[in-house]
Amino acid sequence: MSDFHSVKRLPPYVFEQVNRLKAAARNAGADIIDLGMGNPDLATPKHITDKLIETVGKPRTDRYSASKGIPGLRRAQASYYARRFGVKLNPDTQVVATLGSKEGFANMAQAITAPGDVVLVPNPSYPIHAFGFLMAGGVIRSVPCDPTPSFFTALERAVVHSIPKPIAVVVCYPSNPTAMVASLDFYKDLVAFAKKHELFVLSDLAYAELYFNDEPPPSVLQVNGAFDVTVEFTSMSKTFSMAGWRMGFAVGNERLLAALARVKSYLDYGAYTPIQVAAAAALNGPDDCIKEMRATYKRRRDVMVESFAQAGWEIPAPQASMFAWVPVPEKFRHLGSLEFSKLLIEKADVAVAPGIGFGEHGDDYVRLALVENEQRIRQAARGIRRFFDTADDRLHNIVQMKKGA
């Protein structure tokens, strides 16, 4: 397999190492609390599953569906953008339904990337943001992930020194993994920069509804002129706890979306029609379930921050997303995030995502997902406290032995 060109371009999947260790521990009887994968544990709201069940078995629903999404689903997504962001979309030309935002991102990379094309990607970032383009034959140039003026300084430097000139810049806010949130002013500067340097903007907005203050994260498409250069990806996975349903969207620039739709027409026939019908019902339905989901994750975040601090591990409280991006404690930092993550499984019965899996600039961090209930989060904190206390005792004994020598 190592002889295959596309496979050779992909580094080892570090999360798999953690997954193997986690599986082995569970097989040995350990009760592992999994804060690693961002896999929602909340149930899909009943009115959505009811619509799925109602639609299954109806005439024609078992046939091939529409690759770019059935018209009712695309209209529902356009209505959502109008309500939530005040952004008007043409459902026929500016909305494409995808098999999840991850797959949509990879398909877009296939659609627009020529061999050797340079794409600017934040580091750390969600893996598909970089590896989708690598698999399509592109070249990645890393830029910081902070939505601050330093981001544009790095972009300017990357544009000047990249040969050939970059074709696109990727952004993801609220960020996976860092949980940072961008302002509308940042997006205004981003669109202006992209137009000046003839770049496409590919925005991942999968966590738009997971925010914990009174300021909902904006869409880059709210910026005047953003449609000239931008496609934005959203997902129903987190908003409606529909991760396994594989339903997402790409919206924005008509030229880019036409390219995406053409590539998709060769790759898939779209999601199962009842899933698309149920997804439309979710987007058109009441938002009480979204508010409840948001409140649940906020409670979990607060419990994690409090209980982990009591265990001796300070957790920066995320403003949004379902993740906390947490520095590896100083006494373990020399190990790197992967080895520290392995230790947490072995010594604390807690699984986390090593920051190195999101890029080399994430190696001083781990990502914690808010996918366990509050009782389990407190249990995780107790396990971590026991591990830290044991580690402190070992370090103390080593110091005493050195003093005695």
Side-chain angles (χ1 to χ4, degrees):
M1 189 177 293
S2 61
D3 293 331
F4 297 133
H5 173 71
S6 293
V7 175
K8 283 195 297 183
R9 303 197 80 203
L10 299 176
Y13 197 58
V14 297
F15 301 119
E16 185 56 33
Q17 297 183 47
V18 175
N19 290 340
R20 282 198 301 268
L21 196 62
K22 179 174 63 181
R26 282 176 168 162
N27 288 337
D31 179 19
I32 301 296
I33 300 170
D34 193 353
L35 307 177
M37 187 176 181
N39 196 5
D41 64 316
L42 303 177
T44 304
K46 186 175 184 297
H47 69 280
I48 303 173
T49 55
D50 284 348
K51 177 58 71 171
L52 173 73
I53 294 166
E54 174 191 321
T55 310
V56 169
K58 284 190 173 182
R60 304 177 69 88
T61 58
D62 291 328
R63 297 183 177 187
Y64 292 130
S65 193
S67 176
K68 65 181 291 185
I70 60 176
L73 177 58
R74 287 184 277 115
R75 287 194 297 269
Q77 176 69 350
S79 296
Y80 164 75
Y81 257 77
R83 292 192 311 273
R84 173 68 165 79
F85 303 111
V87 171
K88 184 177 180 180
L89 296 170
N90 182 332
D92 294 325
T93 60
Q94 295 176 322
V95 179
V96 172
T98 63
L99 302 179
S101 60
K102 179 178 182 178
E103 292 83 347
F105 229 97
N107 291 160
M108 180 61 79
Q110 290 173 291
I112 69 173
T113 309
D117 276 347
V118 177
V119 179
L120 308 178
V121 178
N123 189 335
S125 188
Y126 187 53
I128 198 64
H129 294 157
F131 298 134
F133 289 98
L134 285 176
M135 287 186 283
V139 176
I140 300 305
R141 187 178 182 108
S142 293
V143 294
C145 62
D146 303 11
T148 62
S150 63
F151 178 83
F152 294 102
T153 302
L155 283 190
E156 192 80 47
R157 188 165 56 245
V159 168
V160 169
H161 294 289
S162 295
I163 300 174
K165 185 180 77 68
I167 64 166
V169 56
V170 175
V171 291
C172 175
Y173 303 108
S175 171
N176 178 8
T178 69
M180 293 177 180
V181 180
S183 67
L184 196 56
D185 285 340
F186 171 84
Y187 284 140
K188 290 176 181 177
D189 292 341
L190 178 63
V191 170
F193 184 94
K195 289 190 169 187
K196 175 183 176 182
H197 294 284
E198 298 181 323
L199 299 172
F200 295 125
V201 174
L202 303 177
S203 169
D204 186 343
L205 192 62
Y207 298 92
E209 299 301 343
L210 266 173
Y211 56 92
F212 305 129
N213 52 33
D214 296 327
E215 296 183 22
S219 161
V220 64
L221 292 175
Q222 293 174 244
V223 176
N224 289 334
F227 278 88
D228 296 337
V229 294
T230 303
V231 165
E232 190 159 70
F233 297 83
T234 57
S235 169
M236 304 193 72
S237 295
K238 306 327 189 274
T239 303
F240 296 100
S241 292
M242 293 170 63
W245 298 51
R246 306 315 303 137
M247 181 55 61
F249 299 92
V251 303
N253 181 269
E254 293 185 5
R255 178 185 169 212
L256 290 174
L257 290 177
L260 172 62
R262 185 169 181 181
V263 165
K264 271 177 53 64
S265 70
Y266 284 91
L267 296 175
D268 69 68
Y269 289 106
Y272 181 41
T273 295
I275 287 179
Q276 296 194 51
V277 172
L283 290 168
N284 291 329
D287 64 357
D288 294 354
C289 57
I290 300 175
K291 294 176 181 176
E292 291 172 8
M293 170 273 302
R294 191 184 298 135
T296 297
Y297 283 118
K298 186 176 187 295
R299 287 194 300 271
R300 292 178 178 185
R301 179 203 68 168
D302 294 344
V303 167
M304 179 178 285
V305 169
E306 177 191 4
S307 61
F308 278 49
Q310 292 171 350
W313 195 6
E314 295 294 329
I315 305 293
Q319 302 175 53
S321 85
M322 61 189 302
F323 305 113
W325 185 240
V326 188
V328 175
E330 184 65 36
K331 60 189 171 187
F332 300 106
R333 201 160 296 167
H334 66 283
L335 298 173
S337 61
L338 179 56
E339 293 306 315
F340 175 66
S341 298
K342 292 178 180 179
L343 271 181
L344 285 181
I345 294 175
E346 295 172 355
K347 307 296 185 182
D349 292 339
V350 175
V352 302
I356 189 67
F358 304 95
E360 65 271 24
H361 295 297
D363 200 23
D364 287 339
Y365 296 80
V366 294
R367 192 194 71 179
L368 309 182
L370 303 172
V371 292
E372 294 272 11
N373 64 39
E374 293 147 58
Q375 178 183 345
R376 295 279 284 172
I377 290 171
R378 290 191 176 95
Q379 181 181 338
R382 291 193 293 271
I384 288 168
R385 176 63 179 267
R386 287 192 297 271
F387 165 46
F388 284 179
D389 288 347
T390 303
D392 287 340
D393 290 342
R394 285 203 303 269
L395 289 172
H396 176 75
N397 291 337
I398 290 171
V399 170
Q400 294 302 315
M401 289 173 62
K402 288 183 177 179
K403 285 182 178 179

